[in-house]
Amino acid sequence: LGGTLIQHLPDVVGHDGHSPTPGTMGEHKVTVAPASKLAALLGGQPVPGGALCVPTHHHQGIDKLGDGLTASAWADDGLIEAIELADADSDTDSDGDAGRRFVIGVQWHPEAGTDLSLFRALVAAAGG
């Protein structure tokens, strides 16, 4: 969709907090946009104020969002941690393609955490 990546986060954000220990998961807080699809999927998982602690291990991140994408969560340093496709609720997208109803991306590693909300939502969308 035309976005770009930051190739090595420590060079831009000035710390190793997104990948604190080589070979292991770290944790950091993300703030979730309250009106986002992600917030609705998490179903009350974020703590008051929209923040939650997520497992992390990455050195790249979003620089420029791709066309039609919206940021829906951010780390404390301002890095985008989750995105959504703006027209993903419609039966067809702006190009007339069907099947873009579930488009949410997260930078963290939900498979290393205990919250299964994102996996449940993906399975429900795939089965629908």
Side-chain angles (χ1 to χ4, degrees):
L1 297 173
T4 60
L5 287 177
I6 298 167
Q7 291 300 318
H8 191 61
L9 287 173
D11 293 345
V12 175
V13 299
H15 62 81
D16 291 326
H18 296 278
S19 185
T21 306
T24 64
M25 290 288 168
E27 280 189 343
H28 66 73
K29 287 192 317 183
V30 298
T31 301
V32 179
S36 65
K37 295 171 190 149
L38 178 62
L41 281 178
L42 294 174
Q45 292 298 320
V47 296
L52 74 149
C53 200
V54 297
T56 185
H57 185 76
H58 60 98
H59 76 97
Q60 293 179 320
I62 294 173
D63 183 23
K64 176 186 167 274
L65 280 172
D67 295 338
L69 295 173
T70 303
S72 57
W74 301 262
D76 286 345
D77 59 16
L79 183 72
I80 296 170
E81 289 281 338
I83 57 172
E84 303 176 1
L85 186 63
D87 62 359
D89 281 338
S90 62
D91 287 338
T92 59
D93 67 13
S94 58
D95 297 328
D97 294 330
R100 294 180 85 175
R101 296 182 194 138
F102 185 85
V103 182
I104 293 178
V106 297
Q107 183 68 51
W108 65 85
H109 287 265
E111 77 281 1
T114 58
D115 182 4
L116 299 177
S117 301
L118 289 172
F119 296 110
R120 288 185 189 110
L122 176 61
V123 169

